[in-house]
Amino acid sequence: MKIKKIQTIAITFLLATTTFTNISEAKQSTNTNPWGYTGLINMPTGDVGNGDLYITTNYFFRTPGFSINTHLSIFDRFELGLVGGTPSLGLNPIAGNLKYQIIKPTSKEPTSLALGLNLLGLSNTSKLTNGNYLYMVMSHDFNLPLKNNTAYNIFSGHLGFGGNLDGARLMAGIDIPVTDYVNIEAEYLGKIASSSEMINFGIKAKPIPNLQGFTLSFLTMGTNLTDGF
């Protein structure tokens, strides 16, 4: 009896805290990152916003300084973003982003593909991120179909590449919804030009459930595989 009771409680807890999406609609992550576009930490994803405006303020602890960014999805499948930073971060006063979603995900085929221009005008002295390159990235939601036209989103995977005249890098990432209000993210960025390959991690949370547009993020950035984390 005790085992069955524990199983019942565990299943109830899982159902109460897991992210469900309606199969009739395709899930798209509109998580913003510190660089003014929808994505993981540094890596852009194949998703775009849906007529939304995001304004994000970031504080960098290891290299003290603030940056602020905004991104706007003004047309269907099209997204623009701006980011401004401080000289201590190696950032110019302003840089821009463009992203176009070539393939839009559907409930039956939850795969998206986007082409974009990353941080145009970014200073090359920044060790946290790279800019001024063209990228292509594909995102796919791995869902477990359930009854009543619902689905359990296990995780979303992301894979792409980007580069410029200085070289190209491979990008891969994962986005795991722990609950409706917490996402865990991880990404791998290959070596490009003078920047080493990196693995970064992050947690994005909505601490006030009734305030839909407010998200708080804790991210690692520039975790160099050669020199250690």
Side-chain angles (χ1 to χ4, degrees):
M1 289 294 293
K2 287 185 177 180
I3 294 177
K4 289 184 178 181
K5 189 173 182 180
I6 291 174
Q7 288 176 337
T8 302
I9 293 173
I11 292 172
T12 302
F13 177 78
L14 179 64
L15 293 176
T17 59
T18 302
T19 299
F20 288 87
T21 57
N22 193 312
I23 281 187
S24 62
E25 298 179 359
K27 170 186 170 291
Q28 286 202 82
S29 173
T30 54
N31 286 336
T32 59
N33 69 5
W35 310 117
Y37 48 83
T38 51
L40 300 179
I41 302 165
N42 285 288
M43 179 182 176
T45 64
D47 302 319
V48 295
N50 184 25
D52 298 315
L53 170 67
Y54 294 87
I55 298 176
T56 307
T57 301
N58 313 283
Y59 181 74
F60 301 88
F61 289 95
R62 189 168 183 177
T63 308
F66 284 94
S67 73
I68 186 168
N69 70 62
T70 179
H71 89 253
L72 174 66
S73 52
I74 51 175
F75 301 111
D76 184 38
R77 302 188 183 193
F78 186 70
E79 179 181 288
L80 346 137
L82 292 173
V83 58
T86 62
S88 65
L89 296 174
L91 300 179
N92 288 351
I94 195 166
N97 300 294
L98 295 172
K99 183 196 283 190
Y100 179 72
Q101 190 177 61
I102 301 172
I103 298 177
K104 195 170 185 175
T106 65
S107 57
K108 293 183 179 180
E109 296 293 338
T111 301
S112 57
L113 181 69
L115 182 70
L117 293 170
N118 184 64
L119 293 172
L120 300 176
L122 184 74
S123 171
N124 292 326
T125 60
S126 174
K127 296 181 180 180
L128 298 179
T129 188
N130 294 88
N132 303 302
Y133 65 81
L134 177 69
Y135 67 84
M136 180 178 285
V137 63
M138 179 177 67
S139 299
H140 182 79
D141 296 330
F142 293 86
N143 299 326
L144 179 64
L146 301 175
K147 296 180 180 179
N148 302 322
N149 291 326
T150 58
Y152 169 39
N153 179 223
I154 305 171
F155 68 93
S156 298
H158 313 277
L159 182 65
F161 64 93
N164 52 25
L165 296 177
D166 294 328
R169 80 183 332 162
L170 177 69
M171 302 181 290
I174 188 172
D175 178 8
I176 305 171
V178 181
T179 73
D180 285 338
Y181 309 108
V182 178
N183 279 63
I184 297 176
E185 299 178 349
E187 67 180 13
Y188 165 79
L189 302 173
K191 181 178 175 62
I192 181 173
S194 60
S195 297
S196 301
E197 55 185 346
M198 295 182 289
I199 292 182
N200 297 317
F201 303 94
I203 296 176
K204 294 180 181 178
K206 297 178 180 178
I208 307 175
N210 293 330
L211 193 58
Q212 292 292 328
F214 180 70
T215 303
L216 193 61
S217 302
F218 300 91
L219 312 171
T220 68
M221 203 172 292
T223 43
N224 192 312
L225 291 181
T226 303
D227 301 329
F229 296 143

